[in-house]
Amino acid sequence: MAMSITCLDLEGVLVPEIWIAFSEATGIPELRRTTRDEPDYDKLMKFRIAILKEHGLGLKQIRETIAKIDPMPGAKEFLDELRSFTQVLILSDTFSQFATPLMEKLGWPTIFCNSLEVAEDGEITGYRMRCEKSKLTTVRALQSVGFETIAAGDSYNDLGMIQASKAGFLFRSTERIRADHPELPAFEEYKDLLEAIRKAST
């Protein structure tokens, strides 16, 4: 029997959206845009970096907001339970500079994400993707070394890994994405997602 590994998105699935929290903290509504709204990640990040520059905001201010973010209610318990019967890997398009304090609150699960390019003064000047289509590429790599993958996420950039996996689920996704993908089981509660992954991993 092949070993299964579960790949989860981070923001919107285990923790609130970082950029939405930062938008609320700064009162800059344009920063509310996420991968749920904009499928083109490069376009989205360039847009964000330009707005940060315009307002003189950098990594320090974003980290101050992240320090106040807690995982979604039940997320840590869900992860703990999930890790009792399957390997779990968090695949996120966020950045290591953002993710670390959140990983601590989740009990240090393994995360693969991207990194920011930050100037000496803390200005965010750019970003480096770990690899092209990082979530799908990672799932394919896991499959190539003998794992069966199960995946769950909420956004456009999760669809590749969800569709390429043995079992894939939408979790707290948008009406639009759910309507566009009626073939994908969609859940709102951790207990239901846990049950679906448990069945798929046996």
Side-chain angles (χ1 to χ4, degrees):
M1 190 180 104
M3 280 276 295
S4 75
I5 189 161
T6 299
C7 300
L8 297 175
D9 176 36
L10 177 66
E11 292 179 70
V13 173
L14 298 169
V15 304
E17 293 278 353
I18 292 167
W19 289 96
I20 290 179
F22 190 58
S23 162
E24 283 163 8
T26 55
I28 303 169
E30 296 93 332
L31 288 175
R32 285 189 70 85
R33 283 181 76 75
T34 70
T35 49
R36 289 167 159 221
D37 314 299
E38 175 53 75
D40 184 334
Y41 193 73
D42 186 55
K43 196 168 141 188
L44 180 64
M45 274 310 297
K46 285 180 171 150
F47 171 75
R48 286 166 169 170
I49 290 168
I51 289 174
L52 292 175
K53 192 174 174 65
E54 185 190 324
H55 291 270
L57 297 166
L59 183 59
K60 177 175 173 284
Q61 291 83 2
I62 299 177
R63 277 190 159 156
E64 283 165 5
T65 295
I66 292 170
K68 299 186 191 105
I69 295 177
D70 283 320
M72 291 175 170
K76 183 174 187 304
E77 294 74 9
F78 161 75
L79 258 188
D80 289 345
E81 176 81 4
L82 189 59
R83 288 156 81 191
S84 74
F85 64 84
T86 172
Q87 297 287 318
V88 178
L89 188 55
I90 297 174
L91 300 183
S92 173
D93 278 337
T94 192
F95 305 98
S96 51
Q97 293 94 332
F98 291 1
T100 306
L102 295 165
M103 292 306 100
E104 183 174 6
K105 290 177 182 179
L106 286 168
W108 297 112
T110 302
I111 183 169
F112 289 1
C113 59
N114 303 310
S115 59
L116 288 169
E117 292 167 354
V118 184
E120 299 245 317
D121 64 359
E123 184 192 336
I124 296 170
T125 54
Y127 70 99
R128 275 200 306 278
M129 297 295 272
R130 193 167 45 77
C131 56
E132 187 67 26
K133 291 194 171 137
S134 62
K135 297 182 184 195
L136 176 60
T137 306
T138 304
V139 157
R140 292 249 186 265
L142 289 165
Q143 291 165 349
S144 77
V145 292
F147 286 102
E148 282 186 334
T149 59
I150 298 166
D154 70 325
S155 295
Y156 286 106
N157 63 346
D158 299 315
L159 292 170
M161 72 169 179
I162 289 171
Q163 290 161 337
S165 292
K166 174 180 93 158
F169 310 105
L170 292 172
F171 186 69
R172 297 183 183 170
S173 191
T174 62
E175 276 181 35
R176 168 115 185 253
I177 294 174
R178 286 200 305 265
D180 286 349
H181 296 278
E183 77 285 1
L184 297 175
F187 302 108
E188 294 296 314
E189 299 301 326
Y190 288 121
K191 63 176 181 353
D192 301 328
L193 180 59
L194 193 67
E195 215 32 60
I197 296 172
R198 197 190 292 275
K199 280 192 185 126
S201 67
T202 49

